[in-house]
Amino acid sequence: MRFASLIVFFVMFSSIVFAQQADLLERNFAGTSKQTTPQAAKADIQNQASQKISEEVIKDLIGEERYSKNKSLIANKVIKLSPRYIPFVKPSPITQEGEEYKMTVNMKVSLTDLKQLLQVNSLLNENDTIPVVLPVISVVDRVEGRSYRWWQTSSDKNQGFLVKQNRTIEEALRGSFLKSGFYVIKPVESGLGINVPGSYQNERIAGDDAQFFAQYFNAPVLIDGQIFLSKADKGNGYKVEIRMTALQVSNARPIADVSRRYDVQGSFEGAVDKKIREVAEAVSNDLASQVFEAWQRGSVGTSVIRVTVTGKHTLPSMEALKERIRSQLTQVKNIRERLVSSDSVSFEVDTAASAAELATKLETLDVNGKKLVKVSEDREEIVLKLAQ
């Protein structure tokens, strides 16, 4: 049994290592420098390596033409921040030949982190973009009467314990979402709170505030979360409640949610800290898997528009219509019936198109020899009828 457990551990560990390494692109650079000291020459060659390797990889990702058009932006907004996406640098021993120093540098580039920087600066093609997720999670301690929200400035020196819990959750979210190709910003670790204008430092981030956060941090998905710490309903223990909802900010649409409650015993901070560390990964995995399922269905990055077709429909004709829409319109990610009556059928359509664009596309369809003709249209609903 012990041997079998070791095999399982080794396989799981190997898979994790492989997944991490698969994201790292290894490159080598041989450079020279005419700096007067070995230390200065070493720094000079490492800078050359970072510049040259960054340029090569970025050109591979976005193309030569796009790179040339945005060369200044890339130099100032991406390559200057190369430590963010080059986590590994190994220089060889430096040698001197005449007035020149020579050295080889081995670097590993994190494609995930580099793509994130390119996306922030709108340099990636749409099909290359990494979905960015921003956690806005408040920690409310009802036992000690304190709270922490990373987007609010505070002079309260008694928040260290709450900050630690938020860090634990955001670290778990980063790991869970990364498995599915999503990039979770870590605002607590990055100290992003200082960038938030005072007018947006409210207790809850919703409505126009959520729109601002999504645009400001270039994150179309926002995790609205709360961690509540309180005394147990009975006895001397405590309660830990974790609630998180993933929102597609463009239309305030919830696409995933988790809610957990745990009872703990012992000293307040010790027991709470231990429990959150124990459950953070499982809770984050649950939320990430739901978001990934929505992504696979094509529901992330889309709006929901109601499409109503008037007239009498048989079940075969309704299925034919639905299949025609699904197969012919690439902008439609998903379609499902919502209301069927004697004189109409209504569908809920997930689409990346606006209502006006979708209505135009629908009118081009041939449905068993008939055409769809628009009767009315607004932002949320399109009404059509079948005509010869």
Side-chain angles (χ1 to χ4, degrees), residues 323-381:
E323 181 56 33
R324 197 71 175 160
I325 293 172
R326 181 186 289 115
S327 62
Q328 295 298 311
L329 304 184
T330 57
Q331 291 167 309
V332 171
K333 306 302 181 181
N334 197 22
I335 179 171
R336 51 200 170 270
E337 299 94 33
R338 275 296 171 257
L339 179 64
V340 179
S341 67
S342 60
D343 57 358
S344 68
V345 57
S346 293
F347 302 101
E348 201 172 70
V349 176
D350 289 330
T351 178
S354 66
E357 291 171 330
L358 181 60
T360 301
K361 294 286 186 181
L362 288 168
E363 287 186 293
T364 66
L365 293 181
D366 183 304
V367 185
N368 296 331
K370 296 181 179 181
K371 290 287 188 180
L372 289 167
V373 178
K374 183 176 70 175
V375 176
S376 64
E377 166 230 316
D378 58 33
R379 288 185 59 186
E380 297 180 350
E381 183 175 17

Side-chain angles (χ1 to χ4, degrees), residues 35 47 55 63 80 116-118 121 136 147 179 184 193 226-227 232 239 250 277 285 314 320 349 357 380:
Q35 294 289 332
N47 287 334
E55 289 176 356
K80 274 191 176 181
Q116 161 63 10
L117 266 181
L118 291 171
N121 292 284
V136 283
S147 63
K179 296 172 189 174
V184 173
Q226 300 85 40
I227 302 173
K239 278 190 308 188
S250 61
R277 284 188 287 109
N285 283 343
T314 63
V349 176
E357 291 171 330
E380 297 180 350

Side-chain angles (χ1 to χ4, degrees), residues 142-143 165 168-169 172 226-234 236-244 258-266 268 271-287:
R142 292 167 174 165
V143 177
Q165 308 317 308
T168 299
I169 293 294
Q226 300 85 40
I227 302 173
F228 295 108
L229 312 177
S230 55
K231 292 183 179 180
D233 296 331
K234 295 180 180 180
N236 298 319
Y238 303 96
K239 278 190 308 188
V240 178
E241 295 178 82
I242 302 175
R243 305 171 189 170
M244 292 189 286
V258 294
S259 181
R260 301 284 188 275
R261 173 179 166 174
Y262 307 95
D263 294 319
V264 298
Q265 297 289 330
F268 172 56
V272 167
D273 181 66
K274 180 181 179 182
K275 178 55 66 176
I276 289 180
R277 284 188 287 109
E278 285 176 355
V279 305
E281 183 178 0
V283 174
S284 299
N285 283 343
D286 188 354
L287 189 70

Side-chain angles (χ1 to χ4, degrees), residues 141 144 146 158 161-162 165 238 266-275:
D141 177 4
E144 300 291 341
R146 52 188 174 172
N158 196 30
F161 170 69
L162 306 185
Q165 308 317 308
Y238 303 96
S267 65
F268 172 56
E269 291 194 359
V272 167
D273 181 66
K274 180 181 179 182
K275 178 55 66 176

